């Protein structure tokens, strides 16, 4: 293990380059996200993810946000285990009827002020599953949604962009 | 005792069943098959319903290929196989939920996918008109005794994970019974498939289980091509295998790290997460999508591999071969990690065999089965790879099977790059031959064998598509593997199985 740790120290980090003008989209995003998160919410924003019947594609990419390339936590954004600790519900899936009650209860368990982000094409309007007897067809059919992030699934960069947009929305609450 | 072939000769062969035979049987033959299945002579590959009929796919020995038995359910009933052979229980409960066909004599007739919230009963069979009577509360199985208590977990879990419910009964820290309740991710894919064109249907197939989007699209496409008797260009066949191996690599890297993470060993998680991300970025460079979704479709593949993609893959191979061996050593030499994985969550070879567990779950418990080798489909019949088996059946064995599979997949990617044939990557489909056709395919996803059985109508539209995820035969044995382990080791056990919720719930 020591070898791996020393190797990594010697090589520097994998995390995408620090904010600088004309850097990659990700670097710009990183800077903007950090600035806005700090201004609006202090130093942290806690996210509770709810899978409301997705195929799991969105979860794979949401999990990727934690890998060393994206390193979500450097922005003060982190995933928490309970809705009671959360500022944001990040919801995926076409909202299956079998998940409706659990989603509504999770929403009610999240303290105000709270934001709901619907991630993925299914979460927008049911996507490919719209019209099924088993799906409500989008998160807003169950709980109020503040922001949609498109994609099937959205890439980690798209998810970061979406979270940034959330922080820029001038909310009157 | 009749062989499967002999038993099938007693039925009436269905013309046009490809590539494996399907026969109509009577209730007596159906039960005989169930009896022989229960005695352990054969393995169950799938049990599903169609309008007014049930079908059962059996495997006697891989060399002979599967055989399918069909039984007409004249009065909406069929003899239960589940009362003889437990692996069929959840499948029969599903048939009851979706089609309203009753498994007579079933030992467990509780609903499975239907939680009483759809507003309809038996959505694919005889619809029960609205309003639907409320469904009684779900009866979890009992476990009683002094000092026992229950822990209910889910469907919303503490981490970023799919929805499902677990009911633990524990004595102190030890689990005495785990009961799973699934179905929360049920999207009604079988219903959406009906009357869908092939283009739409393959997209649905690719969204059945997100981590196996390539494997599902491949299985669906091969079933459709078999039904329509279409030959796919060689380059497309090789590119499909390339995508399938990349999907396997991405999932194994991610999961090996995640298993270690559940033992609080974060370094492995970060390192393996890096390798997973590199695979996804290579996939995007090669095919324009990180998960390679919608890249395989009936007739071929949607994107060809260019020089940039090949360079990205060569780079990936180099990177993985430089770093992965160090990670294996780290895994193997860390006592605190081994302490959590060795001997934990043991699945016995007997149970793995009875349930026909596929993938690393079966192979870590002595079941020497891999669909790439059992029913060799192109190009695997021309590629060199080993299938390794362990017998310990614990978390550690499942990790090691995955480690070996990573090595094999890296070698397969290299072989494919070295020998990739030139030429077109897609042919047009001659849809709507005027005849109903059917086809079946079994492919090896990262998690195990995925079965797709497809019936197309005369217009080339889907009349019935049944997709059987490997998780159907892995979820039930997780309940057994956890017994006697401490609650805190459940995440570790669960992650080492990594069953699909969405793939099972459909």
């Amino acid at each position: 293990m020591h070898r791996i740790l020393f190797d990594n120290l010697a090589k520097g980090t994998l995390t995408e380059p620090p904010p600088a003008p004309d850097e990659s989209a990700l670097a710009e995003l990183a800077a903007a996200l950090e600035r806005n998160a700090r201004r609006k919410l202090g130093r942290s924003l806690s996210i509770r993810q709810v899978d409301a019947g997705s195929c799991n594609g969105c979860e794979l990419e949401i999990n990727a946000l934690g890998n060393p390339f994206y390193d979500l936590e450097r922005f003060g954004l982190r995933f928490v285990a309970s809705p009671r600790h959360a500022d944001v519900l990040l919801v995926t899936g076409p909202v299956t009827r079998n998940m409706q009650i659990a989603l509504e209860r999770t929403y009610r368990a999240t303290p105000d002020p709270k934001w709901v982000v619907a991630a993925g094409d299914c979460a927008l309007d049911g996507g490919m599953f719209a019209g099924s007897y088993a799906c409500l067809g989008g998160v807003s059919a169950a709980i109020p949604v503040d922001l949609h992030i498109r994609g099937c699934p959205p890439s980690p960069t798209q998810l970061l962009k979406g979270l940034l947009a959330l922080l820029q929305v001038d909310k009157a609450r | 005792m009749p062989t499967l072939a002999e038993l099938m000769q007693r039925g009436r062969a269905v013309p046009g069943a490809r590539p494996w035979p399907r026969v109509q049987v009577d209730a007596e033959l159906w039960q005989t098959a169930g009896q022989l299945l229960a005695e352990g002579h054969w393995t169950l590959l799938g049990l599903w319903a169609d309008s007014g009929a049930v079908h059962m796919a059996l495997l006697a020995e891989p060399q002979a290929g599967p055989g399918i038995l069909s039984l007409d359910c004249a009065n909406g009933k069929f003899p239960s196989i589940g009362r003889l052979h437990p692996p069929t229980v959840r499948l029969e409960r599903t048939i009851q939920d979706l089609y309203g066909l009753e498994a007579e004599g079933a030992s467990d007739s509780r609903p499975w996918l239907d939680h009483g919230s759809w507003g309809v009963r038996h959505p694919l069979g005889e619809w029960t008109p609205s309003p639907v009577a409320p469904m009684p509360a779900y009866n979890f199985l009992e476990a009683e005794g002094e000092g026992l208590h229950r822990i209910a977990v889910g469907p919303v879990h503490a981490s970023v994970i799919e929805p499902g419910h677990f009911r633990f009964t524990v004595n102190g820290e030890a689990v005495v019974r785990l009961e799973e309740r699934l179905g929360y991710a049920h999207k009604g894919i079988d219903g959406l498939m009906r009357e869908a064109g092939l283009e739409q249907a393959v997209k649905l197939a690719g969204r059945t289980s997100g981590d196996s989007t390539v494997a599902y699209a491949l299985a669906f496409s091969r079933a459709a091509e078999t039904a329509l008797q279409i030959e796919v260009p060689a380059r497309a066949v090789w590119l499909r295998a390339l995508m399938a191996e990349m999907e396997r690599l991405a999932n194994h890297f991610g999961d090996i790290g995640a298993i270690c993470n559940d033992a609080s060993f974060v370094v492995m998680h970060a390192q393996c997460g890096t390798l997973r991300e590199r695979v996804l970025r290579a996939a995007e460079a090669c095919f324009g999508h990180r998960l390679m979704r919608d890249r395989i479709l009936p007739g071929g593949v949607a994107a060809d591999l260019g020089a940039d993609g090949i360079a990205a893959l060569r780079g990936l191979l180099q990177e993985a071969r430089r770093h992965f061996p160090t990670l294996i050593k780290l895994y193997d030499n860390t006592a605190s990690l081994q302490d959590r994985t060795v001997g934990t969550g043991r699945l016995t070879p007997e149970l793995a065999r009875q349930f026909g567990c596929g993938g690393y779950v079966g192979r870590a418990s002595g079941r020497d089965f891999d669909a790439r080798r059992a029913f060799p489909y192109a190009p695997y019949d021309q590629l060199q790879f080993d299938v390794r088996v362990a017998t310990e059946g614990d978390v550690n064995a499942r990790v090691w099977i995955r480690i070996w599979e990573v090595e094999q997949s890296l070698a397969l990617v290299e072989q494919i790059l070295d020998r990739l044939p030139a030429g077109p990557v897609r042919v047009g489909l001659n849809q709507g031959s005027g005849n109903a056709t059917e086809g079946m395919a079994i492919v090896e996803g990262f998690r195990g064998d995925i079965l797709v059985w497809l019936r197309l109508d005369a217009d080339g539209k889907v009349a019935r598509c049944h997709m059987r995820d490997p998780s159907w035969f892995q979820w039930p044995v997780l309940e057994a593997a956890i017994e006697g382990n401490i609650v805190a080791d459940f995440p570790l056990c669960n992650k080492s199985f990594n069953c699909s919720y969405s793939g099972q719930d459909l």
Side-chain angles (χ1 to χ4, degrees), chain B residues 117-159:
Chain B
S117 61
W118 299 336
V120 292
R121 288 280 151 76
H122 319 314
L124 305 182
E126 299 294 319
W127 283 54
T128 304
S130 267
V132 180
M135 195 175 270
Y138 192 80
N139 286 322
F140 283 93
L141 301 175
E142 294 297 326
E144 284 177 3
E146 205 175 332
L148 296 188
H149 68 280
R150 283 186 172 181
I151 308 171
V153 179
V156 179
H157 298 293
S159 59

Side-chain angles (χ1 to χ4, degrees), chain B residues 287-455:
Chain B
F287 303 109
H289 192 283
R290 284 162 56 87
L291 302 180
M292 298 168 283
R293 178 160 278 172
D294 300 333
R295 287 341 189 232
I296 295 179
L297 68 187
V301 295
D304 199 356
L305 181 65
D308 288 357
I310 291 174
L313 279 175
R314 297 269 185 210
L316 171 71
L317 288 176
Q318 219 178 14
E319 174 90 13
R321 286 189 170 139
R322 199 165 57 230
H323 291 295
F324 194 59
T326 323
L327 299 180
I328 301 170
K329 257 191 235 152
L330 175 59
Y331 174 78
D332 206 27
N333 294 335
T334 303
S336 64
L337 191 51
Q338 296 282 306
D339 183 50
R340 298 290 303 280
T341 60
V342 176
T344 305
R346 188 161 183 274
L347 170 66
T348 62
E350 295 74 35
L351 209 54
R353 184 169 173 275
Q354 184 190 15
F355 276 76
C357 296
Y360 45 79
V361 172
R363 289 194 283 275
S365 291
R367 184 163 184 261
D368 190 6
F369 178 84
D370 184 315
R372 292 174 295 178
R373 191 191 54 192
F375 324 111
Y377 46 98
Y380 290 105
D381 50 353
Q382 302 155 59
L383 294 166
Q384 296 286 322
F385 65 102
D386 290 331
V387 177
R388 288 186 66 173
V389 172
T391 51
E392 292 83 357
D394 54 4
V395 173
N396 182 53
R398 287 186 283 278
V399 170
W400 271 105
I401 295 288
R402 284 169 177 261
I403 288 172
W404 293 326
E405 288 185 18
V406 163
E407 290 164 351
Q408 295 301 313
S409 288
L410 290 172
L412 282 167
V413 167
E414 188 160 49
Q415 288 177 56
I416 292 169
L417 287 181
D418 288 345
R419 296 167 54 195
L420 188 63
V425 296
R426 198 175 168 184
V427 288
L429 296 184
N430 193 10
Q431 281 185 36
S433 55
N435 294 313
T437 54
E438 66 179 67
M440 180 163 142
I442 300 175
V443 308
E444 187 75 12
F446 92 96
R447 187 178 274 121
D449 49 304
I450 294 170
L451 178 150
V452 171
W453 182 83
L454 186 65
R455 191 159 55 80

Side-chain angles (χ1 to χ4, degrees), chain A residues 48 55 61 70 96 98 132, chain B residues 117 157 184 187 210 277 290:
Chain A
R48 173 63 262 196
C55 75
E61 292 297 54
Y70 304 102
T96 61
N98 287 351
S132 166
Chain B
S117 61
H157 298 293
Y184 293 93
K187 292 177 270 294
E277 179 70 18
R290 284 162 56 87

Side-chain angles (χ1 to χ4, degrees), chain B residues 53-78:
Chain B
V54 283
H55 309 289
M56 177 160 57
L58 301 169
L59 185 65
E61 47 195 318
Q63 294 77 18
I68 307 153
L69 307 182
S70 301
L71 173 68
D72 280 330
C73 307
N75 52 357
K77 294 177 180 182
F78 64 98

Side-chain angles (χ1 to χ4, degrees), chain A residues 142-158:
Chain A
I143 57 174
V145 173
D146 297 289
L147 176 79
H148 293 284
I149 302 174
R150 297 295 303 261
C152 185
S155 66
T157 308
Q158 283 173 299

Side-chain angles (χ1 to χ4, degrees), chain A residues 7 10-11 18 33 41 46 55 57 61 65 81 86 92 98 129 137 140 146 150 156 159:
Chain A
D7 274 4
K11 270 192 312 215
L33 197 57
L41 299 145
S46 297
C55 75
E61 292 297 54
L65 285 170
T92 63
N98 287 351
F129 307 107
S140 59
D146 297 289
R150 297 295 303 261
L159 287 163

